[in-house]
Amino acid sequence: MTAQAKARPAIKVACIQFEPVFGDVDANLGMMEKHIRTAQAQGASVMILPELADTGYVFHDVDEVGAHAGPIPAGRSAKRLVALAQELKVYIASGLAERDGKSFFNSAILCGPDGYIGKYRKIHLWNREKLYFEPGDMGLPVFDTAIGKLGVAICYDGWFPETFRQMSLKGVELVLIPTNWVPMPGQTRDMEPMANILHKAAAHSNAIYIACADRVGTERGQPFIGSSLIIGPTGRPIAGPASYDGEEILIAEVALDSVADSRKLNERNDVLGDRRPDVYG
C-alpha cells in the first residue's frame, strides 16, 4: 500500500462448519442461511461454507448428481445465496453441485452485497469425484471486490502449491476454501490434520490469508474431520482449528492491507520477489 492509498478497514471472516444432510437441498439451504445470519449478527462480512454444502458429498453415481445439481447462478441454491448476500450486505463463498448442460462440476459460488460475483470449478478431483464431475475448466480466477482480491479453491486443490502461487501472482489477498476433508492414510485423530499443515505452509510461503470451512459427520460410511481454520499471512492460525466433529462458526478479523508488507521477511527477502522462475522452468 502506498503512502497515498487509503487504508482499508479490517473485516471479519467466518468459516461455517456444519453437517449437510445428503440429498436434502432445502434442509441444507435452511441450515446454511441460519448459520450465515448468526455469523453476520456477530459482525462477519465474509462467509465460507463447506464443499458441496447444498447437496452433501458421497454420491453413488452421476444420476444422483443430476437429481440434485443446479446451474450457477440460475439454480435455486445459487439464487438463494445471492439473495441472502444482497440482503445482509455480506460476501458468501459456498461449495455447490453445478449443472452445466449435460456436464456436472464440483463448484463454488462467490456472491456479495451487489449480487453474483463469479464461480470456481474444482480443478483437482478427489477419488470418486472423477466418476461424475468434470475437472474445472475456468482456471484459478482472482475476483477484484470492494473489500480486496479474493480467490477460491476447493479441498484437494490445497494439496498443490501451484494453486496458491498462481493466485498470489495475480494479487490475491484472501483465498476462500470450501472443503470436505477426509482422513489421510496413516492419519489418526490425535494428529494434526495434513490439510491444516498444507494450508498453513501455503499461507506462509505466499504471505496470504486462507480461510478453510470444512464439514463434519459421517456420510454413507465416509467420515469427515472438521478442523476448519483461518490462517494469517505469517502461516499461523488466527482462528481455529475447529473441533473434529462439532458444528461451529470460526470468526477472525483480517487486515488485507497487511499482505503486501507480510511478504517482506526482512530488508533483503521477499517471498514472491525472491522467486527464480528462470531456474524452475
Side-chain angles (χ1 to χ4, degrees), residues 65-93:
V65 179
H68 302 296
I72 300 174
R76 60 172 166 159
S77 295
K79 284 183 176 179
R80 182 142 173 200
L81 293 175
V82 169
L84 190 60
Q86 291 176 302
E87 175 196 344
L88 299 179
K89 304 301 181 187
V90 298
Y91 292 83
I92 300 172

Side-chain angles (χ1 to χ4, degrees), residues 27-248:
N28 292 332
L29 288 171
M31 287 191 288
M32 292 157 68
E33 178 171 343
K34 174 186 173 182
H35 294 316
I36 289 168
R37 289 187 181 277
T38 297
Q40 190 263 354
Q42 296 176 24
S45 58
V46 180
M47 322 288 182
I48 307 98
L49 295 106
E51 177 181 9
L52 296 172
D54 64 331
T55 60
Y57 180 80
V58 186
F59 295 100
H60 284 328
D61 52 43
V62 71
D63 290 336
E64 279 196 335
V65 179
H68 302 296
I72 300 174
R76 60 172 166 159
S77 295
K79 284 183 176 179
R80 182 142 173 200
L81 293 175
V82 169
L84 190 60
Q86 291 176 302
E87 175 196 344
L88 299 179
K89 304 301 181 187
V90 298
Y91 292 83
I92 300 172
S94 177
L96 300 177
E98 181 191 5
R99 174 195 291 273
D100 185 357
K102 295 182 179 180
S103 297
F104 302 101
F105 296 91
N106 184 339
S107 297
I109 187 172
L110 179 63
C111 47
D114 295 325
Y116 175 69
I117 296 171
K119 63 185 173 184
Y120 167 74
R121 291 171 170 171
K122 186 176 182 180
I123 292 173
H124 305 96
L125 299 179
W126 175 259
N127 203 352
R128 289 182 56 84
E129 292 174 37
K130 295 184 178 185
L131 302 180
Y132 34 78
F133 289 124
E134 299 294 326
D137 58 0
M138 303 181 73
L140 291 160
V142 171
F143 303 97
D144 197 354
T145 75
I147 59 171
K149 293 188 176 182
L150 308 180
V152 183
I154 299 174
C155 200
Y156 188 44
D157 290 328
W159 266 246
F160 298 86
E162 295 88 350
T163 297
F164 301 102
R165 181 51 50 85
Q166 288 297 316
M167 286 190 279
S168 295
L169 292 175
K170 297 176 185 177
V172 80
E173 296 167 311
L174 168 62
V175 182
L176 315 174
I177 312 277
T179 187
N180 279 182
W181 290 329
V182 300
M184 289 291 98
Q187 180 177 302
T188 58
R189 186 164 173 165
D190 61 331
M191 295 177 176
E192 181 179 12
M194 183 55 64
N196 287 13
I197 296 170
L198 290 170
H199 287 83
K200 288 191 294 184
H204 173 74
S205 61
N206 293 285
I208 55 176
Y209 288 93
I210 299 177
C212 306
D214 195 15
R215 62 161 291 171
V216 292
T218 298
E219 184 179 283
R220 291 179 162 181
Q222 174 62 64
F224 299 92
I225 66 169
S227 308
S228 302
L229 77 169
I230 304 171
I231 311 160
T234 65
R236 304 194 184 281
I238 54 177
S243 65
Y244 196 94
D245 50 16
E247 295 193 349
E248 56 187 286

